[in-house]
Amino acid sequence: MRRLSALTRAELDPTRRLLLNAGMYSLAALAVPEARQPQSEPPPVTTREPSQAGRAETEQMQTMARVFAEAAQLHGPDHLRTALAAYLAHDVSGYLQASATASQHRRALSGAAQLTLLLGTMCAGSGADALAQHYHRTAAQLAAEAEDTATYAIALRTMSAHAHDLGHHTPAVLNLAERAAAVTRHTAPIIAAYAQAHLAVVQAHHNKHAALTALTTAERLHGLADAVPGPFTHYPAGALHYQRAQTLATLGDRAGASGALTASLRLRGPGERHARTLTQARLAESLLAQGHLEAGLTHWQAFLDECPSLRSAPVTRRLDAMRRLLQPHSQHRATAQLLTDAAIFR
């Protein structure tokens, strides 16, 4: 709680925020404590604060988590990071210090863990990877303290996915993905599917059979899950197909990856704008790798059309990849025009 308060307050100071952003990402920091098993009801938590943290406050945190998650998908994370940090620094920190029963305090910790996880993901989307890691780790510890197994599993999965996105495929990253999947034995099927799908992505760098087994498990669990709206209770089918594409691409099945990305694109809803844009770029890359330049250009054009409205490090990385991959084809007229159009995004 002290670390969360210090980090979020530093976020609100422009000078200190620059220092936070300058930190170095560390694979050693992927180690996080085990979640505690639920205990019998302990005595009430009391502090010197006169305020109370009850159902209204935890419901407010759930609403804010949904609002911030939806806004990040529609507009990218850069515009929202400061607002979420301010909410955590001022309102949520107060809720965590307020007097409450033990169960109320655990619910407040759980809500804080989810909001902190969202803030970490926004920081990763802004390119502040070391700071994102601090927030993700803090979220995992808050979830462990709250005895919230589902949020704890999501935090472990998020940390592993962040490392993978940065190009790390080490045993430490795999271990974190395996821990997330193991924890979900005690969660709803949708959380287990979410963890298993990422496990498949990471396992593809280590063990083909294990990767395909995890992918099959994810698809089976997803089929058993109830659709409950919310950033921590819903795993869209489009996202599952995206992880399937990542797994197949690593295993060398380019045609299968393209098919999975096509399915992912078809299933992306209007609220998944950021994810849909990245899927367009990935599909274009996959098609070009199979020699389908014209088809790839169609998807890259769709990707480029969304870029003015989305600011994020993943979008920038896909722009850089597009320029690099298309440069050998720059004599092709349509390719040259696309590269010219992309020149304004620097």
Side-chain angles (χ1 to χ4, degrees):
M1 287 164 55
R2 286 193 296 271
R3 186 188 309 121
L4 176 62
S5 179
L7 285 171
T8 51
R9 289 181 185 279
E11 278 260 352
L12 303 179
D13 182 325
T15 303
R16 296 169 69 193
R17 185 176 185 177
L18 286 174
L19 294 174
L20 288 175
N21 289 347
M24 295 295 291
Y25 182 88
S26 169
L27 285 174
L30 293 179
V32 293
E34 298 288 343
R36 299 187 304 169
Q37 293 300 312
Q39 305 294 319
S40 57
E41 186 78 3
V45 175
T46 57
T47 73
R48 297 177 182 177
E49 295 288 331
S51 58
Q52 295 283 329
R55 178 178 296 180
E57 287 72 23
T58 55
E59 287 179 352
Q60 179 200 107
M61 284 191 278
Q62 291 169 358
T63 298
M64 295 298 282
R66 185 175 67 253
V67 168
F68 276 111
E70 290 174 355
Q73 270 295 326
L74 288 172
H75 305 292
D78 275 7
H79 307 284
L80 303 160
R81 178 176 151 191
T82 302
L84 179 51
Y87 178 61
L88 278 162
H90 300 302
D91 297 74
V92 175
S93 290
Y95 301 154
L96 295 180
Q97 297 172 40
S99 61
T101 65
S103 61
Q104 288 171 339
H105 185 62
R106 282 198 297 269
R107 284 195 292 271
L109 285 170
S110 179
Q114 293 180 355
L115 287 161
T116 303
L117 202 52
L118 285 175
L119 181 54
T121 300
M122 287 180 185
C123 290
S126 300
D129 294 305
L131 182 55
Q133 188 175 40
H134 284 307
Y135 281 126
H136 290 157
R137 182 180 171 85
T138 301
Q141 292 173 314
L142 287 168
E145 186 67 21
E147 299 171 5
D148 182 347
T149 306
T151 302
Y152 181 73
I154 293 170
L156 296 183
R157 196 262 199 200
T158 301
M159 291 177 69
S160 179
H162 182 208
H164 178 272
D165 290 344
L166 293 176
H168 302 295
H169 311 130
T170 65
V173 178
L174 175 60
N175 175 258
L176 207 54
E178 290 175 329
R179 284 179 62 190
V183 168
T184 60
R185 288 195 297 266
H186 309 292
T187 67
I190 199 68
I191 308 299
Y194 183 66
Q196 287 287 342
H198 173 65
L199 177 59
V201 172
V202 180
Q203 279 285 18
H205 295 277
H206 300 270
N207 184 313
K208 178 179 180 179
H209 176 73
L212 294 176
T213 298
L215 188 59
T216 300
T217 301
E219 291 168 345
R220 176 180 59 81
L221 289 166
H222 194 273
L224 296 173
D226 296 323
V228 181
F232 294 91
T233 54
H234 182 52
Y235 179 37
L240 176 60
H241 281 286
Y242 188 86
Q243 268 83 62
R244 178 180 180 81
Q246 287 181 293
T247 303
L248 295 178
T250 300
L251 294 175
D253 183 359
R254 290 175 175 173
S258 292
L261 286 167
T262 300
S264 176
L265 200 56
R266 185 178 67 251
L267 292 167
R268 293 292 190 187
E272 298 176 85
R273 186 181 186 184
H274 188 252
R276 185 178 68 246
T277 301
L278 293 174
T279 304
Q280 291 276 16
R282 288 293 194 182
L283 180 54
E285 293 169 20
S286 183
L287 289 168
L288 181 63
Q290 298 172 75
H292 305 308
L293 175 60
E294 296 288 348
L297 290 174
T298 299
H299 291 287
W300 263 314
Q301 185 61 62
F303 163 73
L304 209 58
D305 289 343
E306 294 288 356
C307 285
S309 303
L310 290 170
R311 291 180 57 192
S312 78
V315 168
T316 300
R317 285 196 288 268
R318 300 278 54 83
L319 269 169
D320 292 341
M322 183 190 77
R323 293 187 182 104
R324 184 181 68 254
L325 291 169
L326 288 181
Q327 195 57 46
H329 306 276
S330 58
Q331 297 305 309
H332 182 273
R333 187 172 64 179
T335 301
Q337 183 60 55
L338 190 68
L339 289 172
T340 299
D341 294 343
I344 63 171
F345 301 109
R346 292 293 183 186

Short mmCIF file of all heavy atoms in Angstrom, two decimals, residues 144-181:
data_model
loop_
_atom_site.label_atom_id
_atom_site.label_comp_id
_atom_site.label_asym_id
_atom_site.label_seq_id
_atom_site.Cartn_x
_atom_site.Cartn_y
_atom_site.Cartn_z
N ALA A 144 -2.68 -10.83 -3.55
CA ALA A 144 -2.32 -11.90 -2.62
C ALA A 144 -2.79 -11.55 -1.21
O ALA A 144 -3.35 -12.40 -0.50
CB ALA A 144 -0.82 -12.12 -2.64
N GLU A 145 -2.60 -10.29 -0.82
CA GLU A 145 -3.04 -9.85 0.51
C GLU A 145 -4.57 -9.90 0.62
O GLU A 145 -5.11 -10.19 1.69
CB GLU A 145 -2.54 -8.43 0.77
CG GLU A 145 -2.81 -7.91 2.17
CD GLU A 145 -2.02 -8.67 3.24
OE1 GLU A 145 -1.00 -9.29 2.90
OE2 GLU A 145 -2.45 -8.62 4.41
N ALA A 146 -5.25 -9.63 -0.48
CA ALA A 146 -6.71 -9.67 -0.49
C ALA A 146 -7.26 -11.09 -0.57
O ALA A 146 -8.47 -11.28 -0.46
CB ALA A 146 -7.23 -8.87 -1.68
N GLU A 147 -6.36 -12.07 -0.78
CA GLU A 147 -6.76 -13.46 -0.97
C GLU A 147 -7.69 -13.59 -2.18
O GLU A 147 -8.61 -14.42 -2.20
CB GLU A 147 -7.42 -14.02 0.30
CG GLU A 147 -6.48 -14.00 1.50
CD GLU A 147 -7.17 -14.35 2.80
OE1 GLU A 147 -8.36 -14.69 2.77
OE2 GLU A 147 -6.50 -14.27 3.84
N ASP A 148 -7.43 -12.75 -3.20
CA ASP A 148 -8.21 -12.74 -4.44
C ASP A 148 -7.44 -13.56 -5.48
O ASP A 148 -6.58 -13.05 -6.19
CB ASP A 148 -8.39 -11.29 -4.91
CG ASP A 148 -9.23 -11.17 -6.17
OD1 ASP A 148 -9.47 -12.19 -6.83
OD2 ASP A 148 -9.62 -10.04 -6.50
N THR A 149 -7.78 -14.84 -5.56
CA THR A 149 -7.03 -15.76 -6.41
C THR A 149 -7.12 -15.39 -7.88
O THR A 149 -6.14 -15.47 -8.62
CB THR A 149 -7.55 -17.20 -6.21
OG1 THR A 149 -7.51 -17.52 -4.81
CG2 THR A 149 -6.70 -18.20 -6.95
N ALA A 150 -8.30 -14.97 -8.33
CA ALA A 150 -8.49 -14.65 -9.74
C ALA A 150 -7.62 -13.46 -10.15
O ALA A 150 -6.92 -13.51 -11.17
CB ALA A 150 -9.95 -14.36 -10.03
N THR A 151 -7.66 -12.36 -9.38
CA THR A 151 -6.87 -11.19 -9.72
C THR A 151 -5.38 -11.48 -9.59
O THR A 151 -4.57 -10.99 -10.38
CB THR A 151 -7.25 -9.99 -8.84
OG1 THR A 151 -8.66 -9.72 -9.02
CG2 THR A 151 -6.46 -8.75 -9.18
N TYR A 152 -5.01 -12.32 -8.63
CA TYR A 152 -3.61 -12.71 -8.48
C TYR A 152 -3.14 -13.46 -9.73
O TYR A 152 -2.06 -13.17 -10.27
CB TYR A 152 -3.45 -13.60 -7.24
CG TYR A 152 -2.05 -14.05 -6.97
CD1 TYR A 152 -1.08 -13.18 -6.48
CD2 TYR A 152 -1.67 -15.37 -7.21
CE1 TYR A 152 0.22 -13.61 -6.23
CE2 TYR A 152 -0.37 -15.81 -6.96
CZ TYR A 152 0.56 -14.92 -6.47
OH TYR A 152 1.84 -15.34 -6.23
N ALA A 153 -3.95 -14.39 -10.22
CA ALA A 153 -3.60 -15.14 -11.43
C ALA A 153 -3.48 -14.21 -12.63
O ALA A 153 -2.56 -14.33 -13.45
CB ALA A 153 -4.64 -16.22 -11.70
N ILE A 154 -4.42 -13.26 -12.74
CA ILE A 154 -4.37 -12.30 -13.86
C ILE A 154 -3.11 -11.45 -13.78
O ILE A 154 -2.48 -11.15 -14.80
CB ILE A 154 -5.64 -11.42 -13.85
CG1 ILE A 154 -6.87 -12.28 -14.19
CG2 ILE A 154 -5.51 -10.28 -14.85
CD1 ILE A 154 -8.19 -11.55 -13.98
N ALA A 155 -2.71 -11.07 -12.56
CA ALA A 155 -1.49 -10.27 -12.39
C ALA A 155 -0.25 -11.05 -12.84
O ALA A 155 0.61 -10.51 -13.53
CB ALA A 155 -1.36 -9.82 -10.94
N LEU A 156 -0.16 -12.31 -12.43
CA LEU A 156 0.98 -13.14 -12.85
C LEU A 156 0.99 -13.28 -14.37
O LEU A 156 2.05 -13.18 -15.01
CB LEU A 156 0.90 -14.52 -12.20
CG LEU A 156 1.01 -14.60 -10.68
CD1 LEU A 156 0.99 -16.06 -10.23
CD2 LEU A 156 2.27 -13.92 -10.17
N ARG A 157 -0.16 -13.53 -14.94
CA ARG A 157 -0.28 -13.68 -16.40
C ARG A 157 0.12 -12.38 -17.10
O ARG A 157 0.81 -12.40 -18.12
CB ARG A 157 -1.72 -14.07 -16.73
CG ARG A 157 -1.93 -14.62 -18.14
CD ARG A 157 -2.42 -13.54 -19.06
NE ARG A 157 -3.06 -14.10 -20.26
CZ ARG A 157 -3.24 -13.43 -21.37
NH1 ARG A 157 -2.84 -12.17 -21.46
NH2 ARG A 157 -3.85 -13.99 -22.41
N THR A 158 -0.30 -11.25 -16.55
CA THR A 158 0.02 -9.95 -17.14
C THR A 158 1.52 -9.69 -17.11
O THR A 158 2.10 -9.20 -18.09
CB THR A 158 -0.72 -8.83 -16.40
OG1 THR A 158 -2.14 -9.08 -16.49
CG2 THR A 158 -0.41 -7.48 -17.00
N MET A 159 2.17 -10.02 -16.00
CA MET A 159 3.62 -9.83 -15.90
C MET A 159 4.36 -10.70 -16.92
O MET A 159 5.31 -10.25 -17.57
CB MET A 159 4.09 -10.16 -14.49
CG MET A 159 3.62 -9.18 -13.43
SD MET A 159 4.14 -9.65 -11.76
CE MET A 159 5.91 -9.40 -11.87
N SER A 160 3.92 -11.93 -17.07
CA SER A 160 4.55 -12.83 -18.03
C SER A 160 4.31 -12.35 -19.46
O SER A 160 5.22 -12.36 -20.30
CB SER A 160 4.00 -14.25 -17.86
OG SER A 160 4.57 -15.14 -18.79
N ALA A 161 3.08 -11.90 -19.75
CA ALA A 161 2.76 -11.41 -21.10
C ALA A 161 3.55 -10.16 -21.43
O ALA A 161 4.01 -9.98 -22.57
CB ALA A 161 1.26 -11.14 -21.21
N HIS A 162 3.74 -9.27 -20.45
CA HIS A 162 4.53 -8.06 -20.66
C HIS A 162 5.97 -8.43 -21.03
O HIS A 162 6.54 -7.87 -21.98
CB HIS A 162 4.48 -7.20 -19.39
CG HIS A 162 5.21 -5.91 -19.50
ND1 HIS A 162 5.78 -5.28 -18.42
CD2 HIS A 162 5.51 -5.11 -20.56
CE1 HIS A 162 6.35 -4.16 -18.80
NE2 HIS A 162 6.21 -4.03 -20.10
N ALA A 163 6.54 -9.36 -20.28
CA ALA A 163 7.91 -9.80 -20.58
C ALA A 163 8.00 -10.41 -21.98
O ALA A 163 8.93 -10.13 -22.74
CB ALA A 163 8.37 -10.81 -19.53
N HIS A 164 7.01 -11.22 -22.32
CA HIS A 164 6.98 -11.85 -23.65
C HIS A 164 6.89 -10.80 -24.74
O HIS A 164 7.58 -10.87 -25.77
CB HIS A 164 5.81 -12.82 -23.74
CG HIS A 164 5.67 -13.49 -25.08
ND1 HIS A 164 4.95 -12.93 -26.10
CD2 HIS A 164 6.19 -14.64 -25.57
CE1 HIS A 164 5.01 -13.72 -27.16
NE2 HIS A 164 5.75 -14.76 -26.86
N ASP A 165 6.04 -9.80 -24.55
CA ASP A 165 5.89 -8.75 -25.54
C ASP A 165 7.18 -7.96 -25.76
O ASP A 165 7.41 -7.42 -26.85
CB ASP A 165 4.78 -7.78 -25.13
CG ASP A 165 3.40 -8.40 -25.22
OD1 ASP A 165 3.26 -9.45 -25.88
OD2 ASP A 165 2.45 -7.84 -24.63
N LEU A 166 8.03 -7.93 -24.71
CA LEU A 166 9.31 -7.24 -24.83
C LEU A 166 10.39 -8.13 -25.42
O LEU A 166 11.55 -7.72 -25.54
CB LEU A 166 9.76 -6.73 -23.45
CG LEU A 166 8.89 -5.62 -22.84
CD1 LEU A 166 9.38 -5.28 -21.43
CD2 LEU A 166 8.88 -4.38 -23.72
N GLY A 167 10.02 -9.36 -25.79
CA GLY A 167 10.96 -10.26 -26.44
C GLY A 167 11.68 -11.22 -25.53
O GLY A 167 12.63 -11.89 -25.94
N HIS A 168 11.22 -11.34 -24.28
CA HIS A 168 11.85 -12.26 -23.32
C HIS A 168 11.10 -13.59 -23.32
O HIS A 168 9.88 -13.61 -23.07
CB HIS A 168 11.85 -11.65 -21.92
CG HIS A 168 12.56 -10.34 -21.83
ND1 HIS A 168 13.91 -10.21 -22.05
CD2 HIS A 168 12.09 -9.09 -21.57
CE1 HIS A 168 14.27 -8.94 -21.92
NE2 HIS A 168 13.18 -8.23 -21.63
N HIS A 169 11.81 -14.68 -23.55
CA HIS A 169 11.18 -16.00 -23.59
C HIS A 169 11.92 -16.97 -22.67
O HIS A 169 12.00 -18.17 -22.94
CB HIS A 169 11.18 -16.54 -25.02
CG HIS A 169 10.66 -15.57 -26.03
ND1 HIS A 169 11.34 -15.27 -27.20
CD2 HIS A 169 9.55 -14.79 -26.03
CE1 HIS A 169 10.66 -14.37 -27.89
NE2 HIS A 169 9.58 -14.05 -27.19
N THR A 170 12.47 -16.46 -21.59
CA THR A 170 13.32 -17.23 -20.70
C THR A 170 12.49 -18.16 -19.81
O THR A 170 11.26 -18.03 -19.70
CB THR A 170 14.13 -16.30 -19.79
OG1 THR A 170 13.20 -15.59 -18.94
CG2 THR A 170 14.93 -15.29 -20.61
N PRO A 171 13.16 -19.12 -19.13
CA PRO A 171 12.45 -19.97 -18.17
C PRO A 171 11.71 -19.19 -17.09
O PRO A 171 10.66 -19.64 -16.62
CB PRO A 171 13.57 -20.83 -17.58
CG PRO A 171 14.58 -20.93 -18.67
CD PRO A 171 14.55 -19.58 -19.34
N ALA A 172 12.23 -18.03 -16.70
CA ALA A 172 11.54 -17.22 -15.68
C ALA A 172 10.19 -16.74 -16.17
O ALA A 172 9.21 -16.71 -15.42
CB ALA A 172 12.41 -16.02 -15.29
N VAL A 173 10.11 -16.38 -17.44
CA VAL A 173 8.84 -15.94 -18.03
C VAL A 173 7.87 -17.13 -18.13
O VAL A 173 6.68 -17.00 -17.83
CB VAL A 173 9.09 -15.31 -19.42
CG1 VAL A 173 7.77 -14.89 -20.06
CG2 VAL A 173 10.02 -14.12 -19.30
N LEU A 174 8.39 -18.28 -18.52
CA LEU A 174 7.57 -19.49 -18.59
C LEU A 174 7.08 -19.89 -17.20
O LEU A 174 5.91 -20.25 -17.02
CB LEU A 174 8.38 -20.63 -19.21
CG LEU A 174 7.70 -22.00 -19.23
CD1 LEU A 174 6.40 -21.96 -20.02
CD2 LEU A 174 8.65 -23.06 -19.81
N ASN A 175 7.96 -19.79 -16.21
CA ASN A 175 7.58 -20.14 -14.85
C ASN A 175 6.42 -19.30 -14.35
O ASN A 175 5.50 -19.80 -13.70
CB ASN A 175 8.78 -19.99 -13.92
CG ASN A 175 8.42 -20.23 -12.45
OD1 ASN A 175 8.26 -19.30 -11.67
ND2 ASN A 175 8.32 -21.49 -12.09
N LEU A 176 6.45 -18.01 -14.67
CA LEU A 176 5.38 -17.12 -14.25
C LEU A 176 4.06 -17.49 -14.94
O LEU A 176 2.99 -17.49 -14.31
CB LEU A 176 5.76 -15.68 -14.58
CG LEU A 176 5.17 -14.56 -13.72
CD1 LEU A 176 5.44 -14.80 -12.25
CD2 LEU A 176 5.73 -13.22 -14.14
N ALA A 177 4.13 -17.83 -16.23
CA ALA A 177 2.93 -18.26 -16.96
C ALA A 177 2.38 -19.56 -16.38
O ALA A 177 1.16 -19.75 -16.26
CB ALA A 177 3.25 -18.44 -18.43
N GLU A 178 3.27 -20.47 -16.00
CA GLU A 178 2.85 -21.74 -15.41
C GLU A 178 2.22 -21.52 -14.04
O GLU A 178 1.22 -22.17 -13.69
CB GLU A 178 4.04 -22.69 -15.29
CG GLU A 178 4.52 -23.21 -16.63
CD GLU A 178 5.79 -24.04 -16.53
OE1 GLU A 178 6.62 -23.77 -15.62
OE2 GLU A 178 5.97 -24.95 -17.35
N ARG A 179 2.78 -20.61 -13.25
CA ARG A 179 2.20 -20.29 -11.95
C ARG A 179 0.81 -19.70 -12.10
O ARG A 179 -0.12 -20.05 -11.35
CB ARG A 179 3.10 -19.32 -11.19
CG ARG A 179 4.33 -19.95 -10.58
CD ARG A 179 5.17 -18.91 -9.85
NE ARG A 179 4.43 -18.29 -8.74
CZ ARG A 179 4.86 -17.23 -8.08
NH1 ARG A 179 5.99 -16.64 -8.42
NH2 ARG A 179 4.14 -16.74 -7.08
N ALA A 180 0.64 -18.82 -13.07
CA ALA A 180 -0.68 -18.22 -13.30
C ALA A 180 -1.69 -19.31 -13.64
O ALA A 180 -2.82 -19.32 -13.12
CB ALA A 180 -0.60 -17.20 -14.43
N ALA A 181 -1.30 -20.24 -14.52
CA ALA A 181 -2.21 -21.32 -14.91
C ALA A 181 -2.52 -22.23 -13.73
O ALA A 181 -3.67 -22.67 -13.57
CB ALA A 181 -1.59 -22.11 -16.06
#
